[in-house]
Amino acid sequence: MRLSAFSTPGRFWRGNLHTHSNLSDGALPPEEVCRRYRAEGYDFMALTDHFVGCFGYPVADTVPFRAEGFTTLIGAELHSGPMSNGELWHILAVGLPPDFAPGNAPDFRVQPGMETGPEIAARAVAAGAFVAIAHPQWSGLTLADARSLTAAHAVEVYNHGCAMGCDRPDGFSIADLLLTEGRDLSLIATDDAHFSEPDHFGGWVMVKATENTPEALLAALKSGQFYSSQGPELRDVVVEGNRVIVESSAVVSVIVQGAGTGAKAVHGQSMTRAEVPLERLGASPWLRVTVIDAAGRRAWSNPVRR
């Protein structure tokens, strides 16, 4: 069984799904943010400013900044709540219609009668968006919180801005627990760039699609036809019998993870192909792959059900 990102037609397109501009709390105007991502070789990006009233509930129009070889997805970071810790939810929504209706979130404080996080996420999915639970570790998200957001397509498992700004970049613990409970979720790496610190060009998705258009990219995201990376390339992941065969750019570690303590790593030098036995994963109903290069940069596959 070959993971869908490596078996479907098309090619991989590099993109960032979480970015801010001066329409909310970012340092740069939308045009300059888009220019920088295009100059860095990205094929696409989503500008996802904070969807709260103090910023005018922005859904940034980045259509004018599209160019040959570079496209944009329309999105926002939605806020409503509260979560268990009393703070507002942070929910990434990519592929929103420009007229997505605001909730009752005049600022980042909880308001009486406001939508719950699960309600605004479900509304975004119904409007056509790809929805992800943003930076679980940074948000202080509990497993009960995560369970309640049933409309989400994905979990943000690496957030570069959170890595650089507070050393809380992780979402794997929440994602793995939800997977073990039977949720079908994909895993995204993002920048969450504000350009006020070195929070950019550190984590991205590689989306497999036949063309670099908003429609094709969004469909591929919803189908899980992508992997995430800080630098290494994943070229193939095949589950064959009781082993996983991984092809990649040169790496020093290939790790397969499953439920609970289930995991197995293979280490070496300049490996471009590795076979990882699955005995240590036991009866795990799912697995995912991590590769690590000599500089410590990682790439992550989406999970696959066994």
Side-chain angles (χ1 to χ4, degrees):
M1 177 177 57
R2 176 169 282 111
L3 270 64
S4 64
F6 308 99
S7 61
T8 55
R11 53 154 286 190
F12 284 107
W13 310 93
R14 181 189 184 196
N16 179 42
L17 297 175
H18 192 167
T19 326
H20 297 276
S21 75
N22 64 3
L23 295 181
S24 61
D25 62 347
L28 302 174
E31 182 175 9
E32 177 61 12
V33 174
C34 292
R35 187 200 69 79
R36 292 194 185 192
Y37 274 94
R38 183 184 176 196
E40 289 292 329
Y42 283 69
D43 300 300
F44 71 94
M45 62 159 290
L47 194 57
T48 52
D49 279 304
H50 296 287
F51 196 65
V52 292
C54 59
F55 299 125
Y57 293 109
V59 178
D61 179 12
T62 54
V63 173
F65 313 130
R66 295 172 181 170
E68 184 176 355
F70 180 79
T71 196
T72 62
L73 301 176
I74 306 301
E77 187 171 355
L78 308 178
H79 303 281
S80 205
M83 300 183 298
S84 297
N85 63 6
E87 299 182 17
L88 294 188
W89 279 87
H90 291 240
I91 298 166
L92 198 63
V94 175
L96 278 179
D99 61 350
F100 185 73
N104 177 28
D107 50 38
F108 289 98
R109 293 172 293 185
V110 176
Q111 303 295 324
M114 70 192 319
E115 283 179 290
T116 67
E119 286 170 344
I120 199 169
R123 191 157 62 84
V125 169
F130 170 81
V131 167
I133 303 171
H135 39 58
Q137 186 183 24
W138 181 88
S139 294
L141 196 78
T142 68
L143 179 58
D145 289 326
R147 284 173 176 151
S148 74
L149 204 125
T150 56
H153 297 94
V155 177
E156 191 178 59
V157 292
Y158 177 75
N159 179 300
H160 191 58
C162 292
M164 301 304 293
C166 61
D167 196 30
R168 290 177 173 173
D170 190 77
F172 281 108
S173 178
I174 286 289
D176 287 354
L177 290 170
L178 291 176
L179 288 167
T180 300
E181 293 181 353
R183 288 281 296 275
D184 288 322
L185 291 161
S186 55
L187 315 175
I188 61 171
T190 72
D191 274 344
D192 197 358
H194 291 71
F195 288 92
S196 54
E197 57 185 343
D199 57 5
H200 37 281
F201 316 138
W204 55 85
V205 289
M206 297 294 293
V207 179
K208 184 76 165 294
T210 55
E211 54 187 359
N212 186 23
T213 63
E215 297 78 13
L217 295 170
L218 192 60
L221 284 166
K222 291 177 181 179
S223 298
Q225 292 167 200
F226 63 91
Y227 69 90
S228 295
S229 185
Q230 299 171 316
E233 296 178 6
L234 282 175
R235 295 173 180 162
D236 203 7
V237 178
V238 179
V239 182
E240 185 178 275
N242 205 30
R243 63 178 181 167
V244 177
I245 303 168
V246 180
E247 296 184 8
S248 66
S249 56
V251 297
V252 297
S253 299
V254 177
I255 308 166
V256 179
Q257 296 99 337
T261 59
K264 173 62 179 176
V266 172
H267 306 289
Q269 296 295 320
S270 303
M271 295 187 297
T272 58
R273 187 181 188 277
E275 296 187 10
V276 184
L278 294 178
E279 285 83 0
R280 290 190 183 178
L281 274 72
S284 174
W286 59 271
L287 60 83
R288 60 180 177 84
V289 171
T290 302
V291 299
I292 309 173
D293 70 12
R297 299 176 304 174
R298 288 159 165 77
W300 305 278
S301 78
N302 275 325
V304 59
R305 292 279 163 189
R306 298 174 68 186

